[in-house]
Amino acid sequence: CTPQTPARAHIAMFRRLFGAARGSSTTSSTSGAHDSRSSGTQATLDAVDRLKEAIDMLDKRENLLSKKIAQELEKARALNRANNKRGALQCLKRKKLYEQQIESLAQHQLKLQEQVIMLEGSKATAETFGALRSGAGAMKQLARETNVEDVDATMDMINEQTDKMRQVQEALGQPIGFAAELDEDELEEELAELDALDVEDKLLERELERELEEPAMPSVPLPSVPAAPAKSSIDADEEAELKALQREMELL
């Protein structure tokens, strides 16, 4: 059979996986759509599992062929040493065939791995789309349950009640009785007089503190201090007293 191109293989795969979902009616119920998504998700998971099993089988096949290549290479060496060139060439031919099979297996593995990646990405895309569709349905239901006219009426009622409450608070805050008869201008003037008195008291306190900190000294003249006698006159008096004392001692 002729090998399929990757694009055709992908198209055929998606037809097998999602053909039933495409054929379903667009007017199905919500539960039917959910069951369809669940079956499609399960089919995708099964396909991914089969692809991975096929990749594992190809890996085992490749390992077996690698062992056979090594065996044929050893046989070819042994036959060549025994001068059996014909047998050695046959071993090398089989080795080449095994190598071609390994190359083909590598291509098959690459295709299978590509399909696994695409299926996993498609599954994530389908889950994302399902979540978005569920969100859109929920928003549509909320919009159906919430009427714009009801919202406007509710907001008008809230504004009306707020205005009434503000009027009640303003009425409660108005002065009544004797307080309503008081003149605000007269009270302001009295308050200004009290401020002036406070300023004057502060100035007087500062003056009193300054006077207590610096007491005034009396202006009394200081007494004059007698000058100390000269040293020479004191020495002369002492010598005179000593001479008088000596004369008295001689008379005795």
Side-chain angles (χ1 to χ4, degrees), residues 130-144:
L132 290 173
R133 184 163 58 181
S134 299
M139 291 179 65
K140 185 177 180 180
Q141 183 65 26
L142 290 174
R144 188 182 298 111

Side-chain angles (χ1 to χ4, degrees), residues 2-243:
T2 58
Q4 294 182 348
T5 62
R8 290 181 179 178
H10 297 159
I11 293 172
M13 176 187 64
F14 281 110
R15 284 179 178 175
R16 289 195 302 271
L17 293 177
F18 305 109
R22 291 180 179 177
S24 61
S25 175
T26 56
T27 60
S28 61
S29 61
T30 305
S31 60
H34 179 72
D35 294 338
S36 178
R37 290 197 300 271
S38 299
S39 61
T41 302
Q42 186 61 39
T44 303
L45 294 175
D46 294 339
V48 171
D49 291 337
R50 289 196 299 270
L51 289 171
K52 289 183 178 180
E53 290 176 359
I55 291 173
D56 293 337
M57 182 269 296
L58 293 178
D59 286 335
K60 294 178 181 178
R61 177 66 179 169
E62 183 178 357
N63 292 331
L64 179 61
L65 290 175
S66 297
K67 291 180 181 180
K68 288 184 177 182
I69 289 173
Q71 291 175 359
E72 293 296 334
L73 185 60
E74 289 295 332
K75 289 180 182 180
R77 288 178 179 177
L79 293 173
N80 189 29
R81 291 193 209 97
N83 293 325
N84 188 355
K85 294 184 178 180
R86 184 175 179 181
L89 290 174
Q90 291 296 327
C91 292
L92 292 177
K93 287 179 182 180
R94 288 193 293 270
K95 171 179 168 293
K96 289 292 184 182
L97 292 175
Y98 291 149
E99 289 176 351
Q100 290 178 359
Q101 289 186 8
I102 287 178
E103 292 180 0
S104 178
L105 289 176
Q107 294 294 327
H108 295 332
Q109 286 178 347
L110 182 61
K111 291 178 181 179
L112 292 175
Q113 290 172 355
E114 183 180 358
Q115 288 184 352
V116 169
I117 292 171
M118 290 188 65
L119 280 175
E120 290 176 347
S122 300
K123 179 178 177 296
T125 302
E127 292 293 336
T128 304
F129 174 71
L132 290 173
R133 184 163 58 181
S134 299
M139 291 179 65
K140 185 177 180 180
Q141 183 65 26
L142 290 174
R144 188 182 298 111
E145 295 175 357
T146 305
N147 191 1
V148 177
E149 296 179 357
D150 295 338
V151 174
D152 293 337
T154 303
M155 295 303 298
D156 292 338
M157 182 175 61
I158 292 173
N159 293 329
E160 183 179 356
Q161 295 299 325
T162 303
D163 292 336
K164 289 181 179 180
M165 185 59 64
R166 187 182 298 109
Q167 292 175 4
V168 170
Q169 292 177 354
E170 290 177 355
L172 292 175
Q174 292 178 0
I176 58 176
F178 179 73
E181 298 176 359
L182 295 176
D183 189 0
E184 295 290 338
D185 296 335
E186 184 179 353
L187 294 176
E188 291 289 340
E189 291 178 0
E190 187 175 353
L191 183 61
E193 291 177 0
L194 292 176
D195 291 336
L197 290 175
D198 291 338
V199 173
E200 186 176 354
D201 292 339
K202 288 181 180 179
L203 293 175
L204 291 175
E205 288 178 0
R206 290 179 182 175
E207 269 186 41
L208 183 58
E209 290 177 358
R210 194 179 301 111
E211 290 177 358
L212 291 176
E213 289 176 358
E214 299 178 358
M217 299 298 293
S219 58
V220 178
L222 296 176
S224 59
V225 179
K231 186 177 180 181
S232 59
S233 61
I234 294 173
D235 294 340
D237 293 339
E238 289 179 355
E239 290 180 358
E241 290 179 358
L242 288 175
K243 289 180 179 180

